[in-house]
């Protein structure tokens, strides 16, 4: 389990560039809510004009973007499964097996994956305090497999 328990915790993964469509399954649990500033659960690992990210803002809104920012649910300390298909205007976000967003997240391609604190320290964008026991990234549209993959994570972790 990756445990992000200070502002500057970060895990840069060896994921290379990924063209949309790509799918992320992320089991996660915030350990502290109500923190100040915009904090990144994950984002790109290098500079880009637009980004793929999941973040929480200072108001407690969990937001996703690939160039078009949208609020998808409120933060909590529950263990959750977040499923994200980044696919331009046909993007989908699910929480605990239930779709919470369908539409345009933007068309930015993934240029690496950074968990926790934003890659550019000079911007001061910190990590939320959270645990991530499992993360799966597919460089394809896995909507046909959502139920099966989410079922695996739910059975293993007892999420919902």
């Amino acid at each position: 389990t990756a445990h992000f328990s200070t502002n500057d915790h970060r895990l840069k993964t060896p994921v290379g560039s990924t063209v949309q469509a790509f799918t992320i399954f992320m089991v996660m649990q915030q350990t502290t809510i109500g923190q100040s500033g915009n904090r990144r659960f994950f984002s790109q690992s290098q500079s880009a004009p637009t980004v793929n990210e999941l973040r929480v803002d200072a108001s407690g809104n969990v937001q996703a973007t690939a160039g078009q920012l949208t609020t998808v649910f409120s933060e909590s300390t529950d263990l959750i499964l977040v499923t994200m298909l980044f696919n331009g205007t046909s993007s989908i976000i699910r929480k605990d097996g239930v779709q919470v967003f369908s539409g345009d997240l933007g068309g930015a391609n993934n240029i690496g994956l950074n968990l926790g604190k934003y890659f550019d320290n000079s911007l001061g964008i910190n990590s939320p305090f959270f645990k991530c026991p499992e993360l799966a990234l597919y460089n394809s549209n896995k909507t046909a497999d959502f139920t099966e993959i989410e079922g695996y994570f739910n059975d293993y972790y007892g999420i919902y």
Side-chain angles (χ1 to χ4, degrees), residues 3-6 28-33 35 41 76-78 128-132:
H3 192 176
F4 301 83
S5 59
T6 68
M28 60 183 266
Q29 180 177 27
Q30 281 185 259
T31 56
T32 303
I33 61 173
Q35 295 177 289
F41 293 108
S76 80
T77 56
D78 296 336
F129 293 7
F130 74 106
K131 298 176 185 178
C132 181

Side-chain angles (χ1 to χ4, degrees), residues 7 14 35 42 45 56 60 74 79 95 98-99 109 117 125 128-129 148:
N7 288 332
Q35 295 177 289
F42 75 80
S45 60
V56 61
S74 296
L79 181 66
K95 177 185 173 198
V98 177
Q99 187 166 302
N109 294 320
K117 184 176 174 80
I125 301 172
F129 293 7
E148 181 180 353

Side-chain angles (χ1 to χ4, degrees), residues 53-96:
E53 63 186 20
L54 184 68
R55 70 186 203 177
V56 61
D57 70 10
S59 299
N61 300 305
V62 177
Q63 303 170 319
T65 186
Q68 295 290 326
L69 185 65
T70 187
T71 296
V72 291
F73 52 88
S74 296
E75 66 179 346
S76 80
T77 56
D78 296 336
L79 181 66
I80 62 173
L81 170 62
V82 180
T83 303
M84 294 161 282
L85 167 65
F86 287 90
N87 194 21
T89 59
S90 300
S91 297
I92 296 171
I93 298 179
R94 294 164 57 103
K95 177 185 173 198
D96 296 340

